[in-house]
Amino acid sequence: MARSTYAAVVLALSLAAVCSAVPAAVRPIDANSRLLKYGPESQAWVSSEALDFLRDTDIDLSLPKAALRQQYPVIAPVPDALIDILGNHNSPRGPGFLDVTEIGDADGARTAKENDVTIFAFPTPSKSKYPIADSLFSQINANSLKSTVTTLSGYSTRYYRSSGARAPATWIQSQFASAAGSANVKLIENSFDQPNVIATIPAKSGGSSEVVILGAHLDSINQRSTTSAAPGADDDASGIAILLQALQILTAAGWKGSRPIEFHAYAGEEGGMLGSATVASQYKKAGRAVRAMLNFDMVAYQPTSKPVVTVLTDTTADLATFSRSLISAYIPEATLATNKCGYACSDHFSWYNQGYATISIDESGPSDTYLNPNYHTANDTVDKLDFTKASAFVKLAIAWILELSE
Ligand SMILES: *[C@@H]1O[C@H](CO)[C@@H](O)[C@H](O)[C@H]1NC(C)=O
Ligand SMILES: [Zn+2]
């Protein structure tokens, strides 16, 4: 991606609702977010929290702070590290911005025809409809979750622009292939050297082509510097471990649904949801029907006596309702919580931005008491996590798939 030093930028700070001055058709989801152009062709939707951070930070941005308070577009020079600075600061959750450079404004991002993708109706979850659920649940293995997280957090960093950025993706590809067969695993490359990894359980014959997607991000970040250790055990090796185990359990059982199920490991989430933006944009352009997308970002920091499963309600409301009922029906031992995570907190916003039904379900929301204090630091390590409690998320993944693949 082009990020030239001291490139001229336009900070379009006009209200999103009246964004006619903004030279792009991509629309923000959150009315408080702003379009920031940080290079001749580079742009990102930035959350109000991230803009507040830029206004208040002591970091020398070589950017007139007054520019950030303007209510109209201004042109100012900014360092090319601006996007890194945003990515490295602890916004409520995730980077707080969605880089839409690769999406552009002409190839399928939400435009005047917002919500032009069909949102399917969601069922009322009922465990008695799926007698196979208990036998699948009996295969859940906390040690195996821990083993996945141990391997992924063993890379010194999985930062998407580090020299070793590709290795964890290749490892995930091999794990997905062992479970699903290599013919059912593919890479979707990005403009940087860390691909997205996608495994599919095809639908049974005569099934639908509407896909059910589960995703988590494979990259990590250390907010202090992009070269510091970034084990990212909770954020988000834990989410990848849930995906992998759900895939392993379903394929070992020879299970297939009436819809294809896809497991997405995304690259570059910490750089502004880059990998998921690429994938969601491709799906939209190809006219693919997505029944729903479920995101897991940080699931295994579980310091209370019962597992906590938090439905983040910023995105598709019907899917939040469905998910809450599903958790009550299938995981009664968990504490069901709801929260909001803020604009661009994780990869589900890439799908929401394209008009698809999507939700993130995680260990906590950003304002919760039990927010993991270690994320984005060298302290986000495997020893801080509880994989027995995180097993609730494997149940969630399997139940979600059973209910939505009918
Ligand atoms: C990591 O944890 C140690 C021990 O609790 C603490 O002293 C240190 O400040 C933490 N480091 C970071 C970067 O949060
Ligand atoms: Zn994350």
Side-chain angles (χ1 to χ4, degrees):
M1 169 170 322
R3 282 177 179 150
S4 53
T5 307
Y6 293 95
V9 300
V10 177
L11 288 167
L13 297 179
S14 55
L15 276 174
V18 287
C19 64
S20 55
V22 175
V26 183
R27 302 273 298 274
I29 301 307
D30 176 343
N32 294 319
S33 64
R34 302 287 184 273
L35 187 69
L36 182 153
K37 295 202 94 182
Y38 61 93
E41 291 163 7
S42 304
Q43 54 189 1
W45 282 109
V46 180
S47 68
S48 47
E49 291 91 344
L51 279 173
D52 287 346
F53 168 79
L54 290 177
R55 285 187 198 108
D56 300 341
T57 183
D58 292 331
I59 300 168
D60 178 15
L61 296 174
S62 303
L63 173 71
K65 294 291 176 73
L68 293 164
R69 297 193 198 95
Q70 301 280 359
Q71 294 302 305
Y72 48 86
V74 295
I75 295 175
V78 299
D80 68 341
L82 176 70
I83 288 289
D84 282 346
I85 290 165
L86 278 175
N88 295 350
H89 103 86
N90 243 336
S91 70
R93 190 69 169 269
F97 67 95
L98 183 68
D99 194 313
V100 292
T101 305
E102 302 281 324
I103 300 174
D105 60 3
D107 58 357
R110 284 175 99 182
T111 59
K113 281 177 68 187
E114 276 189 356
N115 300 319
D116 57 353
V117 171
T118 307
I119 306 281
F120 300 95
F122 301 110
T124 301
S126 158
K127 190 163 178 243
S128 59
K129 276 196 293 185
Y130 300 97
I132 195 179
D134 277 324
S135 69
L136 295 171
F137 287 0
S138 74
Q139 303 303 308
I140 293 172
N141 182 329
N143 287 332
S144 168
L145 293 175
K146 183 175 184 179
S147 165
T148 299
V149 173
T150 301
T151 299
L152 285 171
S153 57
Y155 294 96
S156 59
T157 180
R158 307 189 302 279
Y159 186 61
Y160 73 107
R161 288 201 275 161
S162 66
S163 57
R166 199 171 182 88
T170 304
W171 184 79
I172 291 166
Q173 179 185 23
S174 71
Q175 300 300 300
F176 278 4
S178 296
S182 50
N184 290 317
V185 180
K186 65 176 180 180
L187 302 179
I188 294 184
E189 297 288 344
N190 294 295
S191 58
F192 46 92
D193 192 24
Q194 184 178 70
N196 307 290
V197 190
I198 295 184
T200 303
I201 301 177
K204 55 193 173 199
S205 69
S208 157
S209 60
E210 289 161 15
V211 64
V212 173
I213 299 172
L214 292 86
H217 70 89
L218 70 92
D219 63 313
S220 67
I221 196 169
N222 184 316
Q223 69 195 11
R224 245 173 23 141
S225 96
T226 56
T227 51
S228 300
D234 194 28
D235 186 11
D236 184 27
S238 68
I240 298 288
I242 303 299
L243 297 190
L244 175 59
Q245 189 160 114
L247 175 67
Q248 288 168 333
I249 290 172
L250 290 167
T251 52
W255 179 90
K256 282 187 174 180
S258 310
R259 297 190 170 87
I261 314 298
E262 291 187 358
F263 300 80
H264 291 190
Y266 297 121
E269 186 265 357
E270 307 288 7
M273 328 298 162
L274 293 165
S276 57
T278 299
V279 177
S281 168
Q282 284 189 11
Y283 279 46
K284 177 70 175 291
K285 260 164 74 174
R288 293 198 56 186
V290 175
R291 186 148 202 243
M293 188 274 167
L294 169 60
N295 184 60
F296 292 130
D297 193 353
M298 298 166 67
V299 299
Y301 181 74
Q302 294 283 350
T304 66
S305 61
K306 298 205 293 182
V308 178
V309 179
T310 305
V311 177
L312 298 174
T313 60
D314 310 67
T315 50
T316 314
D318 287 355
L319 207 43
T321 303
F322 164 77
S323 299
R324 294 173 57 173
S325 306
L326 181 97
I327 291 160
S328 300
Y330 286 83
I331 325 171
E333 70 274 22
T335 301
L336 167 59
T338 57
N339 206 325
K340 288 185 180 271
C341 67
Y343 179 70
C345 68
S346 191
D347 290 306
H348 57 304
F349 272 88
S350 290
W351 294 92
Y352 200 56
N353 204 39
Q354 299 288 358
Y356 290 113
T358 187
I359 195 154
S360 195
I361 307 181
D362 304 327
E363 69 205 14
S364 71
S367 56
D368 284 324
T369 314
Y370 297 111
L371 176 67
N372 187 342
N374 304 308
Y375 83 101
H376 294 184
T377 78
N379 286 345
D380 184 5
T381 49
V382 71
D383 55 297
K384 313 281 197 318
L385 306 181
D386 184 327
F387 295 96
T388 303
K389 289 181 196 143
S391 295
F393 286 85
V394 185
K395 284 190 178 180
L396 168 57
I398 291 172
W400 210 80
I401 289 167
L402 293 177
E403 289 277 352
L404 290 182
S405 72
E406 261 296 340

